[in-house]
Amino acid sequence: MVQVKNICCIGAGYVGGPTCAVIAYKCPHIKVNIVDVNPDRIAAWNSDKLPIYEPGLEEVVFDRRGKNLFFTTEVEAAVNEADLIFVSVNTPTKKNGMGAGFAADLAYVESATRGIASIAKSSKIVVEKSTVPCRTAESMRTILEANSTGDIRFDILSNPEFLAEGTAIKDLLNPDRVLIGALQTPEDRKAQEALVEVYANWVSTDRIITTNLWSSELSKLAANALLAQRISSINALSAICEATGAYVDEVAYACGCDKRIGPSFLKASVGFGGSCFQKDILNLVYLSEQLNLPEVAAYWKQVVDMNEYQKKRFVERIIKTLFHTITNKRIALFGFAFKKDTGDTRESAAITLCKHFIQEQATVHIYDPKVSDEQIFLELTEPGLLDNTEEVKKRVIITRSPYDASQDADAIVIATDWDEFKKLDYTRIYQTMHKPAFIFDGRLILDADKLQQIGFSVHTIGRPAI
Ligand SMILES: NC(=O)c1ccc[n+]([C@@H]2O[C@H](COP(=O)([O-])OP(=O)(O)OC[C@H]3O[C@@H](n4cnc5c(N)ncnc54)[C@H](O)[C@@H]3O)[C@@H](O)[C@H]2O)c1
Ligand SMILES: O=c1ccn([C@@H]2O[C@H](COP(=O)(O)OP(=O)(O)O[C@H]3O[C@H](CO)[C@@H](O)[C@H](O)[C@H]3O)[C@@H](O)[C@H]2O)c(=O)[nH]1
C-alpha cells in the first residue's frame, strides 16, 4: 500500500486551509503544503491574522505552522514533493455562457488539474476536494493522462468536504463521516486505501465510507440539497404560521421530536445563505436538465425559489409594517454574515435585505462582529455601467456596536444569528430609538414577550405579530 508522507493542497480557502491544517495537526508525520495563486491570501495564512475566522482555527494553525504545515505560492515545488494532492479550488456558479446561472464553473478545477499534469515528475494520487458535478473526475483523468509524460500514473479520488462554516474545526476533528470514492480497479482501490489511512489517524474507520467515484461526487450535491430542502420546507411552513397564529418554532419542535424526522435543520430563517447551498442545488438542477430529467430539475429548483420567496416576503413584511414606506427611515441591521461564528458573507440573506432597503431609500446602519467594512461595501456595490457606489456610501453606515447602529433607528432587523444579539440591553436600545420602535427577528433568536414588555413592536419570522 502507498503510504502518504507528503500532501499538497491546491487552494488555501475556507476548505483547503482548515481541512489540511487539521490533517497536519493530526498527522505530524505528514508534511502538508497548502498552495494558492493568491499571494495576499498566502501572506495572511502566514501572518498573525488568518484570512478567515473560524473558532479553533488559530490554535490548530499556530501549533503546526513551520513544523509540518506550510502555506506557499511555490506550486511547482509543492506538487513535485507530494504523494497526494487535494484540489480544493472554488467552483462558483457560472456567470456567462452555456449553463450560466446554474452550472458550476469548472475553470479553476481544470487549471489546477492542468497545472498538476505539467509539473508532476512522479505518480500522484489526485483528490477532488472541491464540490463538483457528477463525473468531473473523468475529465480530470483525461486531462492528466493527455498532458503527462513517461510512466507517471494518476489515481483520481473523490473526497468531498462536509464541514460547515462556523464549526469547521469541530466538524473536521469529529466528522459524522468521511467519504472517499474511487473507481473499482485494484490500483484505484490502493489509492483509496492510502487516503483512508490518512484519516484513520483520528477518525474511527466505521465513519470512513468508501464508495464508487460517482456515488461520492453525487452524495455531496445530494447532502446539500437535502439539508437546504429542510430549511425551505420549514420556511414555507413559516408563512402559514404567520397567517394562522401557529408558531413555527413550536411546529418544528413537535415535528422534529419524531425520530423519523429529527430536529436538525428545521430552524426557520430569513433564508439560507452561504457559498454552497444555492450553488450546489443549481448545479444539481443543471445536471438533471443535462440528463433530460426536467421534472427532477424542477423539483430541486423549487428549494432555491422558496428561499428567494422567503427573503422577499420578509422585506415586504418590514415595509408594510413600517406604514408602507421606509424612505429616509433608519434601519439598524444586526448581522451581515450568512450565519453566526463566521465572517463569510457569500450569498448572505443580509445582502438581499440591504439592497431592498437601499432601493426603498432607507438608511441602513449595519453592525456585524466579524465582517469587515470593505467586505460589506464589496457585497453591496455594483461597479459598472450603473455604478451604485455613491448611493450605497450615502445610505449605508457601518457601526462598531449594536448600540450605535440602533441609536435613532425606526427598526432593528436581525439578519444573522450571532449569540451576542440575544444578550444585548434592549431596554437601553429601546430608549434611544424612534417610536414606535420596531424589531424584526429574522432568526427567531430573541425573547419576543420580553421585548414586547419593554415596549417594542415585535415581528418574528414564523409567528404572527405581537
Ligand atoms: N466553504 C465551505 O464551507 C465549503 C464546504 C464544503 C465544500 N466546499 C467546496 O470547496 C471548494 C472550495 O471552496 P472554498 O469556500 O474554500 O473556496 P475559496 O474561494 O475560499 O478558496 C478557493 C481558493 O482556491 C484558489 N485557487 C483557484 N484556482 C487555483 C489554482 N489553479 N491554483 C491555486 N489556487 C487556486 C483561490 O485563489 C482561492 O483562494 C468549492 O468547490 C466549495 O463548493 C466549500
Ligand atoms: O435550520 C437551519 C440551518 C441553517 N440555516 C441557514 O442555512 C445556511 C447554511 O448553514 P450551514 O449549513 O450551517 O452552513 P454552511 O457552511 O453553508 O454548510 C453547508 O454547506 C457546506 C458546503 O457545501 C457543507 O459542507 C455543509 O455540510 C453544509 O451544512 C445559513 O445561512 C444558516 O443560517 C437555517 O436557516 N436554518
Side-chain angles (χ1 to χ4, degrees):
M1 191 189 62
V2 197
Q3 218 197 340
V4 176
K5 296 197 184 84
N6 191 307
I7 289 178
C8 168
C9 173
I10 303 183
Y14 283 87
V15 168
T19 305
C20 287
V22 165
I23 292 180
Y25 185 66
K26 287 291 180 182
C27 310
H29 57 287
I30 298 179
K31 181 178 175 191
V32 180
N33 285 305
I34 306 183
V35 302
D36 204 290
V37 283
N38 180 343
D40 294 340
R41 212 159 202 191
I42 290 298
W45 279 110
N46 282 319
S47 75
D48 289 342
K49 194 174 182 312
L50 302 183
I52 61 177
Y53 170 71
E54 268 299 332
L57 177 64
E58 285 189 350
E59 287 84 332
V60 170
V61 171
F62 295 164
D63 185 67
R64 298 319 306 165
R65 203 172 57 188
K67 293 180 185 133
N68 67 327
L69 173 65
F70 302 89
F71 296 92
T72 170
T73 50
E74 302 291 323
V75 181
E76 192 162 339
V79 166
N80 258 327
E81 268 184 35
D83 325 299
L84 183 147
I85 303 167
F86 283 109
V87 175
S88 187
V89 299
N90 35 332
T91 50
T93 306
K94 268 185 92 175
K95 286 208 176 89
N96 305 302
M98 205 169 89
F102 288 90
D105 183 348
L106 294 173
Y108 304 97
V109 172
E110 178 162 344
S111 138
T113 311
R114 285 184 184 277
I116 298 169
S118 65
I119 294 168
K121 294 193 182 67
S122 58
S123 297
K124 312 281 175 203
I125 299 173
V126 178
V127 185
E128 273 176 355
K129 184 52 104 176
S130 299
T131 303
V132 288
C134 205
R135 295 200 83 89
T136 301
E138 200 166 33
S139 319
M140 289 173 77
R141 178 182 297 277
T142 308
I143 292 168
L144 287 167
E145 287 177 353
N147 289 283
S148 59
T149 46
D151 296 337
I152 300 181
R153 183 185 160 81
F154 293 104
D155 291 301
I156 322 271
L157 302 176
S158 158
N159 172 220
E161 186 47 61
F162 295 102
L163 68 80
E165 288 180 30
T167 53
I169 299 299
K170 203 167 126 259
D171 297 343
L172 288 164
L173 291 174
N174 189 20
D176 285 351
R177 80 312 211 174
V178 167
L179 177 60
I180 305 174
L183 289 180
Q184 302 300 298
T185 69
E187 292 81 2
D188 286 282
R189 278 177 185 262
K190 269 190 213 156
Q192 192 175 32
E193 202 42 45
L195 186 54
V196 168
E197 286 302 312
V198 172
Y199 284 106
N201 282 292
W202 78 97
V203 181
S204 84
T205 43
D206 58 347
R207 291 199 178 183
I208 306 178
I209 308 171
T210 52
T211 65
N212 94 27
L213 202 47
W214 323 122
S215 306
S216 172
E217 286 181 335
L218 186 59
S219 297
K220 174 64 199 179
L221 297 183
N224 274 355
L226 290 167
L227 289 169
Q229 181 199 43
R230 282 174 70 96
I231 305 173
S232 278
S233 298
I234 200 72
N235 282 345
L237 289 165
S238 76
I240 299 180
C241 290
E242 286 167 35
T244 55
Y247 287 2
V248 76
D249 41 330
E250 294 183 347
V251 173
Y253 180 75
C255 294
C257 283
D258 184 327
K259 284 197 189 67
R260 295 168 303 172
I261 297 173
S264 304
F265 273 73
L266 283 185
K267 180 110 200 229
S269 67
V270 56
F272 59 74
S275 62
C276 295
F277 280 172
Q278 177 175 302
K279 161 176 87 74
D280 295 347
I281 295 172
L282 293 174
N283 190 338
L284 191 62
V285 170
Y286 186 69
L287 181 71
S288 309
E289 272 165 5
Q290 293 296 296
L291 296 170
N292 201 20
L293 301 168
E295 291 82 359
V296 179
Y299 176 79
W300 288 113
K301 173 76 168 35
Q302 189 56 30
V303 173
V304 173
D305 291 347
M306 181 52 63
N307 199 48
E308 289 305 309
Y309 168 72
Q310 184 75 346
K311 290 186 266 184
K312 191 168 143 258
R313 213 169 64 73
F314 192 57
V315 169
E316 282 172 4
R317 185 171 177 192
I318 294 169
I319 297 172
K320 274 188 200 152
T321 310
L322 291 175
F323 315 111
H324 297 275
T325 174
I326 57 171
T327 302
N328 292 328
K329 285 186 181 160
R330 183 163 167 172
I331 295 182
L333 188 69
F334 284 9
F336 201 82
F338 80 95
K339 64 185 277 197
K340 71 173 177 179
D341 294 336
T342 178
D344 196 352
T345 58
R346 291 177 288 181
E347 303 298 338
S348 177
I351 302 169
T352 313
L353 300 182
C354 239
K355 285 188 172 172
H356 278 287
F357 297 155
I358 295 167
Q359 263 170 19
E360 296 286 335
Q361 300 188 325
T363 322
V364 194
H365 291 236
I366 302 173
Y367 168 72
D368 187 287
K370 285 291 172 204
V371 181
S372 69
D373 298 11
E374 302 76 54
Q375 185 57 28
I376 293 177
F377 281 115
L378 200 71
E379 290 286 13
L380 296 176
T381 49
E382 286 158 20
L385 266 184
L386 298 168
D387 191 345
N388 66 346
T389 310
E390 282 312 305
E391 179 72 357
V392 171
K393 291 219 158 124
K394 198 169 88 189
R395 303 226 158 261
V396 173
I397 287 129
I398 298 161
T399 63
R400 295 284 154 252
S401 89
Y403 298 102
D404 291 343
S406 48
Q407 170 88 41
D408 297 322
D410 296 280
I412 294 171
V413 174
I414 311 277
T416 311
D417 51 341
W418 284 104
D419 287 336
E420 67 175 76
F421 298 154
K422 297 179 198 167
K423 299 173 204 145
L424 300 175
D425 181 348
Y426 282 98
T427 306
R428 173 179 159 197
I429 287 178
Y430 178 76
Q431 281 157 2
T432 67
M433 287 178 64
H434 284 173
K435 306 295 178 318
F438 293 91
I439 193 154
F440 297 89
D441 183 358
R443 291 294 191 157
L444 257 155
I445 55 171
L446 302 180
D447 183 337
D449 292 335
K450 215 161 150 192
L451 291 171
Q452 196 218 1
Q453 278 160 23
I454 294 171
F456 281 102
S457 168
V458 188
H459 302 261
T460 305
I461 204 100
R463 286 184 174 205
I466 303 186

